[in-house]
Amino acid sequence: MAFWNNWGRSAWRQFDSGDASGVVELTRRNASISLTKQGAATGNLRINLSWQMRTSDFNSRARRGSLRHPLQMFKPEPVQAQGPALVNVDLDLAVMYELKSGSKGVVQPLGEFFGNLNEPPYIKLSGDDRFGSGSGETVYVNMDHKDDIKRLLVFVYIYDGTPAFDRTHGLVTLYPSNGPRVEIALDERAPQARSCAVVLIENVKGEMVVRREVKYVYGFQAELDRLYGWGLQWGRGYKSKV
């Protein structure tokens, strides 16, 4: 408890680890990386979700309009609102976990299951970003307890708003304690999807392996659960009003 009570700028700074100058992008062809082999299976693994509205939709509409009505090109462009007014979708970062003890569960904003870094499940969600701010949402994984972890499924879901994975620049970034950061872009077109399994972190005979998934589903956590055989019981949840 003392760790989180004394949380401040210095505490945030100590998690900004890893080689900031190096980036590894996980793609379909380059889909996995070993944290153990790069000496990053200790300390804290920071996982960040950031997103912003894709502006090409607005720009393409303007271009199409000018072709149909040439005089429209001389009219001033309407100013698109920035911030919350532009982002009409609430993306949430979450982690399903399975420990070696057999314990299973989820860390997510919905239901305020924020986890615990120094006790099981050794995962902590920093908070809930509802508007796509620059800092996004962040999960911390205590890799000093990697021997207690069997597998972690990092996923993103749209809690509120129209399904819009195809209209957002979603990016999940892993910041290991050593070596380059790892990026997984959510740039595939899935206009009706409401959830996406982004990356699977598994303890394979003592080696912590990160594997890109990027599998979109049209439901929520229960559908991802069935896809990966987690076996949890799910119910409808709601967030408090802001």
Side-chain angles (χ1 to χ4, degrees), residues 9-48:
R9 290 179 179 267
S10 60
W12 280 102
R13 198 176 299 117
Q14 72 176 342
F15 285 111
D16 291 332
S17 51
D19 183 0
S21 62
V23 180
V24 173
E25 182 181 358
L26 295 188
T27 63
R28 289 183 177 181
R29 292 188 176 183
N30 180 33
S32 64
I33 187 172
S34 171
L35 297 180
T36 301
K37 289 181 179 179
Q38 70 177 42
T42 58
N44 290 285
L45 172 66
R46 179 163 62 98
I47 305 172
N48 177 260

Side-chain angles (χ1 to χ4, degrees), residues 124-209:
K124 180 71 178 182
L125 176 66
S126 64
D128 180 13
D129 172 23
R130 303 195 185 186
F131 304 115
S133 67
S135 59
E137 293 187 0
T138 302
V139 165
Y140 299 93
V141 180
N142 188 341
M143 299 298 288
D144 290 336
H145 287 273
K146 62 182 180 298
D147 293 336
D148 298 303
I149 297 172
K150 182 177 180 180
R151 59 175 179 161
L152 307 174
L153 178 66
V154 180
F155 65 99
V156 174
Y157 62 93
I158 297 175
Y159 168 74
D160 195 16
T162 304
F165 275 113
D166 63 326
R167 292 193 293 115
T168 57
H169 292 287
L171 181 68
V172 172
T173 306
L174 279 63
Y175 297 86
S177 60
N178 186 57
R181 67 181 185 269
V182 181
E183 294 184 348
I184 306 97
L186 307 182
D187 54 4
E188 297 181 15
R189 294 295 175 132
Q192 299 302 315
R194 299 203 70 96
S195 304
C196 179
V198 180
V199 68
L200 189 66
I201 304 173
E202 292 185 288
N203 189 330
V204 182
K205 297 180 180 180
E207 182 180 357
M208 300 304 293
V209 178

